[in-house]
Amino acid sequence: MATYVITGANRGLGLALAQHLAAEGNQVIGTARDPSTATTLSAIPGVHVVALELTDPESSKTAAAEVTKLTGGAVDVLIANAGYYSETLPLDFETYPSDDALIEDMKTSFDINAIGAVLTIKAFLPLLKAGKQKKVVYISTPAGNPQFSRVAKNYMSVSYGVSKAAADYAVLKFAIKYADEGFIFMSLSPGGVDTSATAKVSAIPTTPEGQARFMRMVESFLRASPKWDRRVQTPEEAAAKCIDVINKLKPEDNGRFLTHHGDETTWF
Ligand SMILES: NC(=O)c1ccc[n+]([C@@H]2O[C@H](COP(=O)([O-])OP(=O)(O)OC[C@H]3O[C@@H](n4cnc5c(N)ncnc54)[C@H](OP(=O)(O)O)[C@@H]3O)[C@@H](O)[C@H]2O)c1
């Protein structure tokens, strides 16, 4: 049994990760912006829900203090899963309706996906140092990966991708600093996951023009993963693959970016 903290566990991939890990008998603490509405998460036996709002710099410290009380001060694995993306995914720098819209989306994405993740990792470091596994897993995305973007010729998902790439780089900085202390910091891409059942806003645009852009984005995925059957995983399937990769992490994986297949190139 190990102790896991999963951010953004009230829905989507985070919820499936919590369900899977709790079913294995692990101690799971899932974060939610509003724990009072995280009813599915809090109903999972063995799961505790803690409040975390990534845009509030104090929130990660408060969450870590609460987790200290629940766990006695040790956490084995932190899965920084909470993230922000929207129907702007298929946009590139020139297709936002205005520069103001681009700036707002970039700031929101950066605040949540990059700065929020860094502050979460910082707040939980003392607990991870006291844990046995010392694994920090940042749930990233192909859209933020330079190798994927080159092969896929993917110039879209700019706000999301740039913010995720920034977080991947931050994870690498932590990995380098803590390389000699038994830590494994890494970024993990879950592939395509259909989280629409619990989504607040659809990532698929509603206008014909937006849908055409979305299809161009999917075509770019196929360029990078020509064997992909276009089937998007269920959250449960993606969670099982991600957990398998996390369980198999070795010290030499510190600082790496892996896909849910456990390699660096099978994106979907
Ligand atoms: N779905 C995919 O195909 C896919 C592909 C590649 C990578 N990913 C990555 O996988 C992770 C999970 O994706 P998903 O599809 O499960 O996302 P999702 O369904 O949109 O869920 C996002 C989670 O993040 C939380 N969150 C958002 N903003 C937050 C904030 N400011 N503070 C704290 N929590 C916040 C949400 O909480 P609320 O419920 O309160 O909004 C929710 O729990 C993300 O990091 C995403 O980038 C997903």
Side-chain angles (χ1 to χ4, degrees):
M1 192 196 96
T3 301
Y4 290 78
V5 170
I6 306 165
T7 65
N10 54 305
R11 61 188 174 95
L13 178 62
L15 178 62
L17 288 165
Q19 284 165 332
H20 188 119
L21 290 166
E24 287 179 342
N26 296 293
Q27 182 180 22
V28 175
I29 294 113
T31 78
R33 279 196 276 194
D34 180 359
S36 71
T37 61
T39 47
T40 311
L41 179 65
S42 59
I44 304 170
V47 171
H48 286 94
V49 186
V50 164
L52 176 65
E53 166 54 67
L54 290 176
T55 58
D56 173 2
E58 288 306 309
S59 181
S60 47
K61 292 179 198 162
T62 310
E66 205 172 319
V67 173
T68 301
K69 285 188 214 145
L70 289 168
T71 65
V75 167
D76 294 307
V77 184
L78 168 65
I79 306 181
N81 162 81
Y84 166 79
Y85 59 90
S86 70
E87 70 285 353
T88 60
L89 270 183
L91 297 182
D92 63 67
F93 289 120
E94 290 153 291
T95 45
Y96 275 78
S98 65
D99 278 352
D100 283 348
L102 169 65
I103 291 164
E104 192 187 330
D105 199 35
M106 289 197 79
K107 283 184 172 170
T108 303
S109 302
F110 206 83
D111 271 354
I112 297 173
N113 296 336
I115 298 173
V118 167
L119 295 179
T120 304
I121 293 171
K122 272 190 71 180
F124 280 95
L125 267 175
L127 288 90
L128 289 153
K129 283 180 185 172
K132 290 197 181 76
Q133 298 194 31
K134 298 181 175 54
K135 291 177 184 171
V136 178
V137 177
Y138 176 68
I139 300 295
S140 193
T141 174
N145 184 278
Q147 193 187 342
F148 166 83
S149 295
R150 279 191 205 100
V151 178
K153 296 187 172 54
N154 181 300
Y155 53 85
M156 310 90 175
S157 308
V158 288
S159 300
Y160 177 62
V162 168
S163 66
K164 287 291 212 179
D168 292 337
Y169 198 45
V171 167
L172 177 62
K173 295 287 190 189
F174 279 115
I176 293 166
K177 178 167 182 187
Y178 288 100
D180 298 330
E181 293 188 31
F183 269 89
I184 302 174
F185 288 89
M186 56 89 61
S187 294
L188 175 58
S189 166
V193 193
D194 181 1
T195 51
S196 58
T198 53
K200 288 181 174 165
V201 181
S202 172
I204 301 176
T206 47
T207 64
E209 192 187 46
Q211 285 171 355
R213 284 201 189 105
F214 193 86
M215 287 318 296
R216 277 201 290 281
M217 193 176 73
V218 173
E219 282 157 20
S220 84
F221 298 168
L222 283 161
R223 271 194 288 279
S225 284
K227 292 185 184 153
W228 181 42
D229 61 5
R230 287 180 178 236
R231 202 182 75 79
V232 183
Q233 304 165 98
T234 64
E236 294 73 26
E237 288 171 328
K241 287 211 172 71
C242 288
I243 289 164
D244 188 47
V245 173
I246 294 168
N247 285 339
K248 290 176 179 161
L249 288 173
K250 301 179 291 296
E252 52 269 35
D253 293 320
N254 186 39
R256 290 182 77 192
F257 182 116
L258 296 174
T259 76
H260 56 306
H261 297 288
D263 64 20
E264 291 174 340
T265 51
T266 313
W267 299 104
F268 289 97

